[in-house]
């Protein structure tokens, strides 16, 4: 074995051979290469699924989801967003006497007695 | 985790070399580097055979480097496989002006380090006391196995960086600059790590030779 030199630029053949023997895989290299290539093939197969097949597999669920969303949206819009129609006449119509109409159409703030009278009239 | 940097000249690194093979040097490495670039280009174009040639070419080297990190051969093979597949995914990012070997070894080393962290793998099996001394004189294979076991134990006692540095330098034949690129450390640190690792391993080798006489 050659003399040890700090920062030697040359590989040590004897030490290298001993280390190589210690680290060298004992089994056949071909088996390892075959194993890597099998993984390679699998990875390749996974990455080359045709795009149209993917789209086709989502076609039916996509259509169903879109139809369901339309129905839900329509019902929601009809029941929640549209307020119940009410005419101003109906709102203003007194049940009995002029109490409520006088209260709503007055220019000045109502007197407490008028409000009270209106409430009494409605009962 | 090792750096995303690459070193200087190319490194085939004796992909299918045997136990006694020497690290590749000079023109052979450069020529292989040119071949590698062609194979990378073909692999990128979807040529499976070209990728297969790259795997064959670097399989042994990748397995040794992974084993230097992990110790356990099965874990090392898993890590080497992860490294190859990761390299395939990143192949479009590979700069063909640079050598392929250090780029791939950096990915393999990272894969091995990741695996070691995830599984908390021990660096090396403890040595069987029966092998250390005494007993009947073993045959040549057993002697080699014993030395291998001792070296693996000694490697396991080194820090991961030191272990990687000496294996990449003395086993795989990479230059200090290339190893600096693979490990993401300054070149001077690589020299220091190689020196300290060698000192430890040479002592062990010398002791073993003394006992084997």
């Amino acid at each position: 074995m050659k003399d040890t030199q700090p920062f030697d630029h040359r590989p040590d053949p004897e030490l290298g051979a001993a280390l190589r023997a210690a680290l060298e895989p004992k089994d056949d290299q071909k088996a390892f290469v075959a194993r890597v290539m099998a993984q390679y093939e699998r990875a390749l197969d996974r990455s080359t699924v045709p795009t149209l097949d993917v789209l086709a597999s989502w076609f039916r669920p996509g259509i169903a989801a879109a139809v369901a969303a339309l129905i839900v949206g329509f019902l929601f819009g009809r029941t929640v967003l549209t307020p119940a129609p009410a005419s101003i006449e109906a709102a203003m119509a007194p049940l009995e006497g002029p109490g409520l109409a006088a209260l709503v159409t007055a220019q000045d703030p109502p007197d407490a007695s008028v409000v009270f009278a209106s409430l009494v009239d409605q009962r | 985790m090792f750096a995303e940097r690459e070193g200087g000249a190319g490194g085939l690194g004796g992909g299918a070399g045997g136990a006694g093979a020497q690290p590749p040097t000079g023109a052979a490495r450069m020529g292989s580097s040119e071949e590698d670039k062609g194979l990378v280009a073909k692999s990128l174009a979807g040529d499976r055979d070209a990728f297969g040639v790259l795997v064959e070419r670097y399989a042994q080297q990748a397995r040794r480097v992974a084993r230097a990190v992990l110790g356990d051969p099965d874990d090392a093979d898993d890590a080497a496989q992860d490294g190859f597949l990761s390299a395939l995914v990143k192949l479009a990012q590979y700069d063909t002006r640079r050598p392929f070997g250090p780029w791939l070894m950096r990915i393999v080393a990272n894969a091995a380090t990741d695996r070691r962290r995830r599984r908390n793998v021990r660096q090396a099996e403890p040595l069987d006391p029966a092998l250390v001394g005494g007993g009947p004189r073993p045959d040549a294979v057993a002697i080699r196995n014993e030395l291998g076991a001792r070296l693996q134990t000694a490697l396991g006692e080194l820090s991961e960086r030191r272990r990687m540095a000496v294996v990449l330098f003395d086993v795989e034949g990479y230059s200090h600059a290339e190893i600096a690129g693979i490990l993401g450390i300054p070149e001077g640190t690589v020299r220091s790590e190689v020196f300290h690792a060698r000192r430890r391993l040479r002592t062990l080798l010398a002791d073993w030779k003394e006992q084997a006489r």
Side-chain angles (χ1 to χ4, degrees):
Chain A
M1 190 169 304
K2 68 182 181 182
D3 203 21
T4 303
Q5 293 292 322
F7 310 132
D8 197 340
H9 291 262
R10 295 160 300 175
D12 179 340
E14 187 176 3
L15 180 61
L19 282 173
R20 181 183 287 258
L23 296 171
E24 196 73 13
K26 300 292 183 282
D27 62 343
D28 187 7
Q29 178 189 326
K30 286 179 182 172
F32 174 79
V33 173
R35 177 181 145 183
V36 173
M37 292 311 290
Q39 283 292 327
Y40 167 74
E41 299 290 343
R42 272 197 285 275
L44 217 60
D45 289 344
R46 277 198 300 270
S47 65
T48 54
V49 176
T51 309
L52 284 177
D53 287 355
V54 175
L55 289 175
S57 70
W58 281 98
F59 180 74
R60 286 169 185 269
I63 292 292
V67 168
L70 278 173
I71 292 171
V72 169
F74 174 74
L75 293 175
F76 180 80
R78 208 178 72 168
T79 57
V80 175
L81 297 181
T82 309
S87 65
I88 189 67
E89 291 78 11
M92 296 289 289
L95 295 175
E96 274 186 40
L100 183 58
L103 175 64
V104 174
T105 57
Q107 294 292 323
D108 299 321
D111 187 80
S113 62
V114 174
V115 174
F116 181 74
S118 171
L119 291 172
V120 168
D121 283 348
Q122 287 187 61
R123 291 184 185 257
Chain B
M1 193 68 58
F2 301 120
E4 289 288 309
R5 186 174 146 246
E6 291 164 39
L12 171 56
Q22 295 304 309
T25 54
R29 300 179 68 195
M30 294 303 290
S32 299
S33 184
E34 290 304 313
E35 285 176 28
D36 287 349
K37 288 170 187 172
L39 290 168
V40 167
K42 286 180 181 175
S43 299
L44 275 171
D47 187 335
R48 300 179 186 202
D49 292 339
F51 183 71
V53 174
L54 280 174
V55 173
E56 277 181 23
R57 184 170 283 189
Y58 285 97
Q60 296 301 85
Q61 184 180 153
R63 296 169 84 188
R64 285 193 297 265
V65 167
R67 192 168 180 190
V69 175
L70 289 161
D72 181 74
D74 293 333
D75 279 332
D77 278 2
D78 288 344
Q81 176 179 297
D82 290 348
F84 277 114
L85 296 177
S86 180
L88 177 66
V89 171
K90 297 175 181 172
L91 208 54
Q93 300 169 23
Y94 165 60
D95 181 356
T96 51
R97 291 169 300 179
R98 294 175 179 273
F100 183 71
W103 182 80
L104 177 65
M105 286 311 113
R106 187 187 66 215
I107 293 174
V108 169
N110 281 338
T113 304
D114 284 347
R115 187 167 285 272
R116 183 181 55 73
R117 286 176 181 158
R118 282 201 307 270
R119 296 189 180 178
N120 196 21
V121 175
R122 287 183 302 166
Q123 300 301 326
E125 289 296 321
L127 200 59
D128 184 351
L131 285 174
V132 176
R137 189 162 188 83
D139 58 15
V141 175
I143 288 174
R144 203 170 60 210
N145 288 343
E146 181 188 339
L147 175 62
R150 284 189 181 206
L151 279 172
Q152 284 175 37
T153 303
L155 280 172
E157 290 167 0
L158 301 175
S159 70
E160 183 176 312
R161 195 167 75 177
R162 192 162 287 180
R163 199 160 62 236
M164 291 290 294
V166 74
V167 168
L168 288 168
F169 188 74
D170 279 323
V171 179
E172 308 305 341
Y174 287 111
S175 68
H176 289 126
E178 288 171 327
I179 298 168
I182 293 170
L183 301 182
I185 56 179
E187 201 175 321
T189 308
V190 173
R191 294 175 193 275
S192 171
E193 295 286 32
V194 170
F195 167 71
H196 287 294
R198 280 175 157 187
R199 190 169 60 181
R200 170 77 186 95
L201 295 171
R202 281 170 170 160
T203 303
L204 183 140
L205 263 180
D207 290 348
W208 179 81
K209 276 183 168 180
E210 197 66 32
Q211 287 179 16
R213 278 180 191 163

